[in-house]
Amino acid sequence: MIPIDTLTEQLKELAKKAFSADGIELLIGYQKGEDGKSKPAVFRSSEEVEKLVWDNQSGFNLANLAHRFRDKKVGILAQGCISRSLVVLLNEGQLNRNQLVIIGFPCQGVLGRDGQLHSACTSCQYPDPIVKDYQVEGTGISNQKDPLLELVNNIESQSMEEKYAFFAKEMSKCIRCYACRQSCPMCYCDVCFVDINKPLWLARTPDQQNNSVWNLTRINHLTGRCVACGACDRACPENVNLMYLIAKMNKEVKELFGYSAGLHLGDKPALNTFQPNDPDFFWGKEGA
Amino acid sequence: MKLFTITQQDWNRFLQTISEFVSVVAVEDHAHPFKEKLYPPHDTLFFYRKDTPKEKASIQEKKTLYYGIKPCDAKTGKLLALNFLSDPHPDPYFKAMTENTIVISTACDHFDPYCFCDQIGDSPSALNGADGILYTITSGYHLLVNHTWLSQQLQQFGLTPTEVENEKSPFDKGNVAYREIEPLPIQVLREKGLSTILNTALWEKVTATCLACGVCTFLCPACYCFDIQDLSYGRVGKRERTYDSCMFTLYTSEASGHNPRPSIKERWRQRLLHKFTYYPMQYNEIGCTGCGRCSRECPSKIDIREVIRDAAQSCE
Amino acid sequence: MPLNPVNNPYLTMPVRIVKVSFESEDRSLKTLELQLINEQDRSQFHYLPGQFIEFSIPGKGESPFGIASSPSEDVIRVTVNRTGYVTESIHQLEEGDFAGIRGPFGNTYPLDLMKQKRVIIISGGFAFTTLSSLLDYLLEHEEYNITGYDLIYGARNPGMLLYKDKIECWKQQSKIKSIITIDRETPGWTGTTGFVPTIVEQSDIRPDQAIAVICGPPIMIKLTLPKLLDKGFQKDQIFTSLERRMKCGIGKCGRCNIGPNYVCKDGPVFSLQQLEGLPAEY
């Protein structure tokens, strides 16, 4: 893998090129914060790009900000998961490819809140950018195993009581700050269902019951759209295990529709298309 | 104020003794603000039955002694009281909770990269409105007490106190964290914060990466905003209050669709100025304890110290 | 420990709905007259023009409404615009139904300042409610020695004018100079037409020994204020009653602040001078 400093230098070079050759108005990347860790940042000139960094603390999904600045021509750093997010957003008509200059690089993985390589990264199968205009050459993280899938398989083999106990414990931690939603590039709805009070779809009360409805609804809205970048899981201040729900949902989509989100430009989201041979067991039996 | 010296063993025995009168709770979780104990994330205001206008409410009466709280967190009671207990309508729920609570903090022995209590004029050994504070010494603790019942109990336990004039105890630079560091320009915001109101460039810069989630406010020991909602279960129900956040769209949006704070820029301005300009204007205290949770837990790692500096710099 | 309802500002006082009537032709506005049920509540409920109540329907929630009745009346009158979840439910209430109220909350119009002055009331749409209370109150209390009134009140069309019967009575009073206007010419309307800001500009209202009170939609206020300033009104002569999303009504829940002031507690009535230099979050 490329040394972090070299990677940062190469990203800076390409970013400056995007300003001079491609005429981007701003660049979405990372810079060092007061705590010495990297944080998302918006650079408005090639001089500002001197502050650009990438390190294993760069766990914020920048595609989120691409959506925010979609009326501008922007440059954006993207490894596998961020580029996949961009692909989903492009496929959903949320971004304009001509307005994006994608600086791709192979990903070495980012740390979770516990200081360990994040579970999304240890299960990552796509460290390299899917779409890009520039590319830093090299190899990224390579995983032989998929620990998240193993966790899901393991939970699936448990009894209903055990499954529920695990789920309930995770849900009871949630404080409903919506950091998961806000850090997710796919959660771009202008008005989220929990922000409507006429009718009040969901009580604000942060108890296990309401939190379960919140999290399950969000995960369901991400079906066939989630690229498992793990930004929501890393954003959660309460360490709710969102990755296992996401992994389960992605596994279902893969098994039912043979689909993984964000791998091809021009793909239709799995739940937006109908094929005659789509599985239909969930409709229930005739006459039942 | 009275100063006691107590061994670790005696302290444990003392806690056991008083547990006859109060429930004793050790606070070990510092990731969550202590405010949750005085002002829970969701709380029932009253229960109702639909067919009658009769309503009832009750408040738990159990007295609880919490110890092990960090001094920055202990300040939560003082800051929230400024809002909740202000006239002409003091909040009866908060009042009952604080009256039923004894708070003993422990002087802090380290700073992490996000701590800044010392940069806003507090210190890791300040009493900050707590009923008592423990200073760790080799043989146990020095215990500074500002609570009549508690010091009576300590004396009955067999300890002899010395009178202390004020909380500026000799322990400020002793076994507690201490560092030479430049204070934050909070005085500038206090005096001239209002001059940033129309500074769009400042608020655009500050909010470029803000996601508008509620982490900073939910975990802030000084944030108290709440929402009120009715929860119905058939013919019965309850009116409940839950934490709310000035970072959320729904917080100020009106039924007509009009929102006086339409974007994250106005909402960040509200959050910063509320803490460092409006709160001092209202109560002569800043609405911040320097605990650093808002920056520590921010998904975008926006550091409030940077924002304070940026805003102060742009003050005219 | 049971809470004493007298000391608990979150508990509601039961009221009976004694009268319900449609106030506007399009049926979006309803006026309700409420009577407190408990004798104790009645004896403690005192208000002055400008203040508001929180109207509560168990299971639905609460909404704030300015009190439109005069304190001398034995009912509490509110006019409710059907816009949200709670107001929808309030519109479904019928005579004889029960509901709850909390209050009165907020400050009042600057009654003492109005003594021996001319009072200029400028209003648009259904924001006229507390101004009606003010006008009634000042007319009832001669000790204020109001030297005269100017009333400029506008609505989209004749059907949207509030309290038409009352306006007719006020028109008979020699002390009141009234201009009732609707936005555009409508068949059957013989009165003035034109938007409030224009009418204010054309009118002969003068700032000498006068207090102007202005209530209405934000855009109307925004366009009218410069006209008043042009006419020589000082910022401490102009008062307005603000509306914000509210929950607690007592300055605790946080959301309705404008700078260091809470609209529910320090307002809703502010002078233009008080709002100067604060974020225009209204």
Side-chain angles (χ1 to χ4, degrees):
Chain A
M1 282 190 278
I2 325 165
I4 293 287
D5 291 345
T6 318
L7 175 60
T8 292
E9 283 313 312
Q10 293 193 28
L11 288 173
K12 272 188 204 172
E13 282 310 304
L14 294 174
K16 285 176 190 167
K17 207 163 152 191
F19 269 106
S20 58
D22 301 278
I24 55 169
E25 288 172 68
L26 44 93
L27 179 99
I28 304 169
Y30 306 91
Q31 71 178 38
K32 280 250 190 289
E34 195 145 329
D35 55 357
K37 295 175 182 173
S38 78
K39 62 178 189 178
V42 175
F43 304 91
R44 291 172 200 273
S45 67
S46 52
E47 289 75 49
E48 282 182 24
V49 165
E50 279 306 323
K51 290 188 197 154
L52 184 106
V53 290
W54 191 90
D55 64 21
N56 59 12
Q57 296 280 352
S58 308
F60 180 95
N61 190 328
L62 299 176
N64 199 312
L65 297 178
H67 190 259
R68 175 176 304 188
F69 295 110
R70 63 188 178 279
D71 56 336
K72 294 193 163 69
K73 181 153 189 173
V74 299
I76 183 168
L77 307 189
Q79 70 274 58
C81 54
I82 294 182
S83 76
R84 286 177 68 196
S85 306
L86 292 171
V87 168
V88 176
L89 289 171
L90 286 163
N91 288 348
E92 293 183 359
Q94 293 298 318
L95 296 177
N96 183 347
R97 184 68 184 87
N98 302 328
Q99 294 275 81
L100 277 182
V101 176
I102 303 168
I103 301 170
F105 64 96
C107 187
Q108 316 186 356
V110 295
L111 305 183
R113 293 167 52 84
D114 54 2
Q116 302 294 313
L117 206 55
H118 191 251
S119 59
C121 303
T122 52
S123 286
C124 175
Q125 308 298 321
Y126 302 95
D128 294 312
I130 305 290
V131 284
K132 67 222 163 192
D133 297 297
Y134 296 105
Q135 163 89 44
V136 175
E137 297 303 332
T139 52
I141 195 168
S142 96
N143 296 310
Q144 304 308 314
K145 286 185 179 169
D146 189 339
L148 272 173
L149 195 62
E150 285 165 24
L151 173 68
V152 169
N153 292 338
N154 180 19
I155 291 174
E156 279 173 353
S157 68
Q158 292 173 355
S159 71
M160 195 58 96
E161 289 72 28
E162 286 171 309
K163 279 185 211 171
Y164 186 72
F166 183 73
F167 173 70
K169 183 170 158 270
E170 291 304 317
M171 290 303 111
S172 60
K173 292 195 251 171
C174 174
I175 58 170
R176 300 272 290 288
C177 63
Y178 304 127
C180 46
R181 175 187 76 188
Q182 297 305 100
S183 60
C184 177
M186 302 317 154
C187 275
Y188 55 71
C189 288
D190 275 347
V191 183
C192 179
F193 80 104
V194 288
D195 284 340
I196 296 170
N197 57 358
K198 182 196 170 185
L200 185 71
W201 294 111
L202 183 61
R204 262 236 160 100
T205 319
D207 59 11
Q208 188 236 312
Q209 184 193 349
N210 287 299
N211 296 348
S212 304
V213 177
W214 156 244
N215 283 293
L216 288 180
T217 310
R218 194 182 87 87
I219 300 281
N220 268 304
H221 283 177
L222 291 171
T223 308
R225 309 172 58 231
C226 173
V227 301
C229 68
C232 54
D233 192 85
R234 293 188 290 270
C236 179
E238 299 296 318
N239 301 317
V240 177
N241 189 340
L242 295 170
M243 283 320 288
Y244 101 93
L245 290 175
I246 283 168
K248 166 69 177 164
M249 181 261 294
N250 282 342
K251 179 189 168 190
E252 295 284 319
V253 174
K254 184 103 192 235
E255 284 176 358
L256 290 172
F257 306 105
Y259 184 83
S260 294
L263 293 182
H264 308 283
L265 267 177
D267 261 3
K268 285 259 187 294
L271 298 192
N272 280 27
T273 52
F274 176 74
Q275 304 294 336
N277 59 347
D278 274 349
D280 59 359
F281 65 91
F282 41 80
W283 291 124
K285 293 197 177 70
E286 217 173 307
Chain B
M1 259 177 267
K2 294 192 162 51
L3 183 67
F4 297 86
T5 304
I6 188 166
T7 63
Q8 177 72 51
Q9 210 177 7
D10 277 354
W11 171 244
N12 293 340
R13 270 181 48 227
F14 173 71
L15 290 177
Q16 215 152 34
T17 317
I18 57 165
S19 64
E20 198 183 316
F21 313 105
V22 291
S23 18
V24 176
V25 178
V27 175
E28 277 148 10
D29 167 19
H30 300 298
H32 292 88
F34 179 64
K35 79 167 171 186
E36 292 178 2
K37 299 285 189 291
L38 303 174
Y39 166 49
H42 63 107
D43 199 8
T44 303
L45 295 175
F46 56 79
F47 297 93
Y48 60 76
R49 278 175 291 155
K50 250 185 188 166
D51 45 357
T52 63
K54 208 176 168 188
E55 290 150 351
K56 266 191 204 164
S58 64
I59 284 174
Q60 220 183 337
E61 207 179 358
K62 197 144 178 76
K63 215 169 198 152
T64 311
L65 179 144
Y66 295 98
Y67 73 97
I69 299 138
K70 294 196 175 197
C72 54
D73 248 8
K75 198 179 168 188
T76 203
K78 184 166 133 189
L79 291 182
L80 296 187
L82 293 173
N83 172 61
F84 280 123
L85 302 185
S86 65
D87 288 333
H89 296 289
D91 185 288
Y93 307 92
F94 183 80
K95 189 161 183 274
M97 283 295 224
T98 41
E99 280 170 1
N100 289 335
T101 307
I102 301 172
V103 178
I104 299 177
S105 54
T106 305
C108 210
D109 58 4
H110 73 284
F111 292 104
D112 86 356
Y114 305 92
C115 292
F116 62 97
C117 66
D118 54 342
Q119 288 176 281
I120 56 163
D122 283 340
S123 95
S125 62
L127 193 58
N128 278 344
D131 300 309
I133 180 167
L134 289 161
Y135 303 91
T136 315
I137 50 173
T138 9
S139 55
Y141 303 106
H142 285 311
L143 172 55
L144 189 64
V145 178
N146 191 19
H147 189 274
T148 320
W149 179 84
L150 197 61
S151 65
Q152 276 167 3
Q153 291 297 314
L154 283 158
Q155 286 173 66
Q156 271 177 31
F157 185 74
L159 296 168
T160 320
T162 48
E163 276 301 323
V164 178
E165 280 280 308
N166 59 42
E167 59 174 285
K168 286 274 170 233
S169 64
F171 311 106
D172 247 20
K173 293 180 190 178
N175 294 315
V176 296
Y178 180 80
R179 61 182 177 183
E180 294 287 347
I181 195 161
E182 194 181 336
L184 287 165
I186 49 165
Q187 197 56 33
V188 180
L189 285 183
R190 216 175 164 140
E191 285 160 10
K192 299 180 193 158
L194 289 179
S195 68
T196 63
I197 284 171
L198 297 174
N199 193 338
T200 319
L202 167 73
W203 300 114
E204 247 164 36
K205 182 184 173 214
V206 167
T207 57
T209 60
C210 174
L211 297 173
C213 71
V215 172
C216 47
T217 54
F218 282 13
L219 297 181
C220 174
C223 277
Y224 54 77
C225 290
F226 60 84
D227 192 12
I228 299 177
Q229 58 178 10
D230 282 21
L231 300 175
S232 289
Y233 309 96
R235 301 183 71 77
V236 295
K238 59 181 175 180
R239 184 159 290 168
E240 192 181 63
R241 74 168 163 207
T242 60
Y243 285 2
D244 203 346
S245 169
C246 57
M247 293 283 128
F248 294 161
T249 323
L250 195 58
Y251 180 70
T252 48
S253 69
E254 292 161 18
S256 63
H258 173 66
N259 193 340
R261 292 186 200 132
S263 80
I264 185 63
K265 293 196 283 285
E266 291 84 15
R267 290 179 235 152
W268 238 105
R269 178 178 72 189
Q270 159 65 16
R271 188 166 86 86
L272 189 80
L273 295 190
H274 186 205
K275 293 186 176 312
F276 297 101
T277 309
Y278 307 153
Y279 227 57
M281 284 168 92
Q282 289 168 311
Y283 307 117
N284 204 24
E285 277 276 353
I286 58 163
C288 175
T289 73
C291 74
R293 284 191 186 88
C294 54
S295 317
R296 196 178 289 120
E297 302 295 344
C298 176
S300 291
K301 296 178 191 153
I302 297 173
D303 198 311
I304 197 158
R305 290 168 293 186
E306 276 176 52
V307 182
I308 293 170
R309 287 194 197 103
D310 281 351
Q313 203 170 27
S314 76
C315 282
E316 287 146 17
Chain C
M1 172 168 60
L3 282 169
N4 181 355
V6 177
N7 293 330
N8 189 336
Y10 297 103
L11 292 188
T12 58
M13 298 176 280
V15 288
R16 188 182 289 112
I17 318 294
V18 291
K19 196 177 164 204
V20 182
S21 54
F22 281 109
E23 196 58 59
S24 63
E25 231 167 52
D26 70 349
R27 306 198 143 213
S28 66
L29 299 172
K30 253 186 177 182
T31 293
L32 294 94
E33 293 187 354
L34 320 169
Q35 211 151 35
L36 286 161
I37 290 170
N38 298 334
E39 189 52 49
Q40 199 196 356
D41 293 341
R42 269 205 292 274
S43 65
Q44 287 178 349
F45 191 87
H46 301 297
Y47 65 94
L48 285 170
Q51 291 192 284
F52 69 95
I53 55 165
E54 285 276 354
F55 196 125
S56 159
I57 301 186
K60 303 292 179 186
E62 292 183 307
S63 268
F65 299 101
I67 308 174
S69 49
S70 165
S72 59
E73 295 179 59
D74 57 358
V75 292
I76 303 158
R77 195 178 318 112
V78 289
T79 296
V80 178
N81 183 20
R82 198 182 62 221
T83 42
Y85 186 64
V86 178
T87 48
E88 190 90 51
S89 317
I90 295 176
H91 266 239
Q92 283 164 15
L93 290 173
E94 290 169 11
E95 284 169 23
D97 281 351
F98 294 107
I101 64 167
R102 298 192 287 127
F105 296 133
N107 66 355
T108 72
Y109 286 112
L111 299 166
D112 288 337
L113 267 181
M114 291 174 172
K115 272 184 185 156
Q116 285 155 22
K117 292 211 176 92
R118 193 168 178 85
V119 174
I120 301 162
I121 291 175
I122 302 167
S123 179
F126 69 96
F128 192 52
T129 55
T130 53
L131 291 176
S132 152
S133 173
L134 173 70
L135 199 47
D136 274 345
Y137 182 82
L138 290 176
L139 288 169
E140 283 162 14
H141 291 78
E142 287 178 357
E143 65 268 29
Y144 284 100
N145 270 325
I146 307 294
T147 54
Y149 301 88
D150 287 289
L151 170 63
I152 299 175
Y153 175 39
R156 241 179 303 151
N157 55 55
M160 295 303 286
L161 286 168
L162 298 190
Y163 317 136
K164 289 187 207 60
D165 296 346
K166 220 169 226 189
I167 290 174
E168 283 311 311
C169 299
W170 288 329
K171 276 184 172 171
Q172 309 305 319
Q173 303 249 359
S174 58
K175 263 189 162 182
I176 303 180
K177 233 169 104 181
S178 64
I179 308 175
I180 311 298
T181 176
I182 58 164
D183 289 357
R184 273 174 214 89
E185 282 189 32
T186 311
W189 177 257
T190 53
T192 317
T193 55
F195 293 102
V196 170
T198 323
I199 303 294
V200 168
E201 189 179 20
Q202 291 162 356
S203 75
D204 56 0
I205 56 169
R206 297 213 338 247
D208 331 315
Q209 288 298 304
I211 295 287
V213 184
I214 168 167
C215 288
I219 183 71
M220 186 209 93
I221 296 184
K222 201 178 157 194
L223 295 176
T224 309
L225 288 177
K227 313 283 181 200
L228 288 174
L229 296 172
D230 282 352
K231 281 183 181 285
F233 282 84
Q234 299 300 307
K235 286 182 174 167
D236 57 359
Q237 276 179 295
I238 307 172
F239 288 80
T240 179
S241 179
L242 296 179
E243 286 190 359
R244 279 286 293 271
R245 180 181 170 88
M246 288 180 191
K247 284 288 177 177
C248 70
I250 52 174
K252 301 281 180 269
C253 77
R255 59 178 47 60
C256 71
N257 75 306
I258 290 172
N261 305 310
Y262 287 108
V263 172
C264 67
K265 192 175 87 171
D266 307 307
V269 181
F270 292 98
S271 74
L272 206 53
Q273 196 175 32
Q274 284 173 295
L275 296 173
E276 210 178 6
L278 298 177
E281 291 169 343
Y282 37 82

